[in-house]
Amino acid sequence: MKKPVTFLILLSILILFAGCLTMPVQVPPNPANPVHTVAVLPLVNDTADVDAPQMVRKKLAEAVGKRHYNVMPIAETDAILRDRMGITLGGQLEAATVKKLKENLNVDGLIYGTLMDFKEVTTGLYNVRKVRGKFRLVQTATGDTMWQNGIGVKTENKMSGNAGLVADMAADISDKKTEEEVPWVTLSSTTSNQGFGETLAINLGVKLLSKATNTYLAYETNEMLKRVLSTFPAGPGQGVTYATPAAPPAVMPPAGMAITPSVGHMNFGDRDFTAVMVFTHTDTGEKETLSWEMPIAKAADKIRLEMDYNKMIGQGDAPVRMEKMTMICRGDKNKTYALYPGRKQYMVYQQANDPVFKESRIDKSKVGSETIDGHPTDKYKVTIHLDDGNYTGYIWNARDLDGMTIKTVTTYQGMKSTTLMKKIRLKTPSASVFEIPAGYSEITSFGVSKQ
């Protein structure tokens, strides 16, 4: 029993060491190359491994950078593709033109890629580790493909005798089905004289250890990229450096986005306070949920709400970036102000004339008592009558907070909205939070200054 264990430890160490090796690139720059700046785009993933494309992509970007190119940071590439074009996956790039990508990324070259194989098959009879991909470099000024290459690499270990031979032949037939498009290179092929169980245990142990140490298929990945990039053209070296493209202006959310039927009919009580209002909206049909927090402050008949829709939990990779907004409701003036801090601008709404703040009838009946977030509450069933229909649901008013509504649940046409008050502090906020800050200018509509 000692021999297999010793062999496993030795093999594991060798694999981990090999996985960390990178071959230095010694190629001179090519000043005639017109491509100075490049972006490595998300890879198309034809494998079952969801994390592999990003790992391979990062290694690819590092290797390209050593070949005298200015490489756009991957995080920045992803942010621009997501926020401006709604692209988060390599498979979505087919719908984007080179011209459009150039306009948004502002680079001379685009590197496309497809990860075709990234897996380890461990059967005991035949054990193989394989990585395969194909890539191309496109010049954005012309749309022409300047370079393309693809290759697959594998390391294999099989049992000796007929069993290993049969398994080897079956795997070889499987690989040949796609070898014409992108060929395979066998890095190493070893034969084990151990029994089936010992061979299986060794290869499973190596697989688990490499995953635990984040070196899974690292050796094969490095070797694949080294061979693929052996024909990659050298960059110009000194020249135009990568510059972050200017971000497009964010969308100004209308004031109505801050108001939901449940908020409009919440009882904030007579006490002054600060809190965090947590919103959750669920589309029961699509089973999609969005959630975000809004700090709230109240003093007498003044209320302040702060909104940052870009911090929604569950919004995924939303293509639209929205500006932060602050709502200040001044009951003493019968006005509400929508502030846009990023622009230092604000809009004024007359509450009596604006449909956003129109009072609606609400029917309410008590149905029980519950404790919500440590507060004893009275639970009410409600129907909120609005111009576009009726919202039904429940509200919870805290008895220890003079009847303040600390939770609401309403539904309307397949949408479920929940509001929950958290971190409630009974204190009077500073009067300045309800004033328009100095330096803000009034606008009459989105982007139009008041004359």
Side-chain angles (χ1 to χ4, degrees):
M1 293 298 294
K2 292 183 179 180
K3 186 175 181 180
V5 173
T6 303
F7 178 70
L8 171 59
I9 294 174
L10 177 60
L11 185 59
S12 300
I13 292 174
L14 289 175
I15 288 177
L16 296 179
F17 178 71
C20 297
L21 290 178
T22 55
M23 298 298 293
V25 178
Q26 302 292 338
V27 294
N30 176 18
N33 189 337
V35 176
H36 295 261
T37 58
V38 297
V40 180
L41 302 175
L43 304 184
V44 176
N45 187 16
D46 289 343
T47 79
D49 194 313
V50 296
D51 298 321
Q54 193 70 345
M55 185 272 277
V56 175
R57 183 184 174 204
K58 289 179 179 178
K59 287 180 175 291
L60 175 61
E62 293 173 2
V64 170
K66 294 177 182 178
R67 285 163 170 76
H68 312 293
Y69 290 90
N70 292 297
V71 181
M72 185 178 193
I74 284 180
E76 194 163 341
T77 302
D78 288 345
I80 292 174
L81 291 176
R82 180 189 66 241
D83 296 342
R84 303 189 189 183
M85 303 181 68
I87 294 175
T88 59
L89 301 173
Q92 297 173 305
L93 291 167
E94 294 182 1
T97 64
V98 172
K99 180 181 179 181
K100 197 66 176 178
L101 290 168
K102 173 180 171 58
E103 290 175 357
N104 285 279
L105 296 173
N106 191 30
V107 292
D108 304 325
L110 301 169
I111 297 179
Y112 295 81
T114 299
L115 188 60
M116 305 170 69
D117 291 276
F118 191 92
K119 63 182 177 180
E120 180 171 2
V121 179
T122 304
T123 66
L125 297 176
Y126 181 80
N127 312 283
V128 63
R129 299 158 59 90
K130 55 173 65 175
V131 176
R132 187 168 61 141
K134 57 183 179 179
F135 309 88
R136 60 191 174 99
L137 171 64
V138 174
Q139 184 179 357
T140 57
T142 63
D144 296 333
T145 297
M146 297 179 57
W147 164 89
Q148 60 183 352
N149 197 11
I151 202 167
V153 301
K154 57 184 175 180
T155 57
E156 55 187 17
N157 172 257
K158 56 191 174 183
M159 284 183 60
S160 60
N162 291 333
L165 179 61
V166 171
D168 186 10
M169 292 176 59
D172 188 54
I173 292 173
S174 175
D175 285 343
K176 283 186 179 299
K177 290 181 179 180
T178 56
E179 188 172 14
E180 292 184 2
E181 181 183 5
V182 176
W184 286 98
V185 172
T186 301
L187 301 176
S188 66
S189 181
T190 58
T191 302
S192 172
N193 293 320
Q194 306 291 337
F196 170 79
E198 294 172 340
T199 302
L200 179 62
I202 290 171
N203 284 278
L204 283 175
V206 173
K207 182 177 182 179
L208 292 173
L209 183 56
S210 65
K211 284 192 171 184
T213 54
N214 292 323
T215 56
Y216 181 58
L217 297 181
Y219 169 62
E220 288 77 10
T221 299
N222 290 337
E223 290 297 315
M224 184 269 291
L225 290 176
K226 182 176 73 173
R227 286 164 169 76
V228 162
L229 295 176
S230 63
T231 60
F232 194 79
Q238 301 296 324
V240 179
T241 58
Y242 167 73
T244 302
V251 175
M252 296 176 67
M257 289 188 67
I259 309 299
T260 68
S262 53
V263 173
H265 297 280
M266 291 178 68
N267 177 12
F268 290 128
D270 296 326
R271 299 198 199 185
D272 298 344
F273 68 88
T274 61
V276 174
M277 189 182 296
V278 182
F279 280 101
T280 302
H281 292 288
T282 302
D283 186 330
T284 55
E286 298 293 333
K287 301 188 183 303
E288 295 181 348
T289 298
L290 296 177
S291 180
W292 71 95
E293 297 182 348
M294 296 200 319
I296 180 173
K298 174 184 176 294
D301 51 0
K302 306 181 187 73
I303 296 175
R304 175 190 175 101
L305 292 168
E306 299 178 21
M307 286 142 283
D308 186 352
Y309 294 100
N310 298 299
K311 293 183 179 180
M312 287 183 184
I313 299 173
Q315 71 171 344
D317 299 307
V320 178
R321 186 169 59 93
M322 303 189 73
E323 293 189 9
K324 294 180 181 179
M325 181 175 65
T326 299
M327 297 287 292
I328 299 178
C329 302
R330 293 291 301 263
D332 58 334
K333 296 182 178 182
N334 194 31
K335 292 181 179 180
T336 292
Y337 304 96
L339 278 62
Y340 299 93
R343 300 170 180 255
K344 290 191 175 182
Q345 295 177 334
Y346 70 93
M347 296 175 66
V348 182
Y349 295 85
Q350 295 288 341
Q351 295 181 12
N353 301 324
D354 199 289
V356 170
F357 308 101
K358 181 181 178 181
E359 288 292 334
S360 300
R361 183 169 59 89
I362 177 172
D363 298 329
K364 182 174 69 172
S365 61
K366 185 176 178 179
V367 294
S369 299
E370 293 181 13
T371 298
I372 303 295
D373 201 26
H375 299 280
T377 69
D378 293 325
K379 180 180 179 181
Y380 295 89
K381 184 177 181 179
V382 297
T383 300
I384 305 168
H385 303 276
L386 298 177
D387 291 342
D388 58 350
N390 296 335
Y391 289 72
T392 60
Y394 298 89
I395 64 174
W396 288 258
N397 293 342
R399 294 194 296 271
D400 61 335
L401 298 174
D402 296 339
M404 179 194 297
T405 304
I406 64 172
K407 181 179 179 180
T408 72
V409 177
T410 59
T411 58
Y412 174 69
Q413 294 186 350
M415 290 296 297
K416 179 181 178 181
S417 300
T418 300
T419 305
L420 181 63
M421 300 287 282
K422 306 280 289 186
K423 302 179 182 178
I424 301 171
R425 298 181 61 186
L426 298 177
K427 69 170 189 177
T428 301
S430 170
S432 62
V433 303
F434 303 104
E435 301 292 341
I436 298 173
Y440 277 59
S441 59
E442 182 179 350
I443 56 178
T444 56
S445 61
F446 295 147
V448 180
S449 299
K450 183 178 180 180
Q451 298 298 325

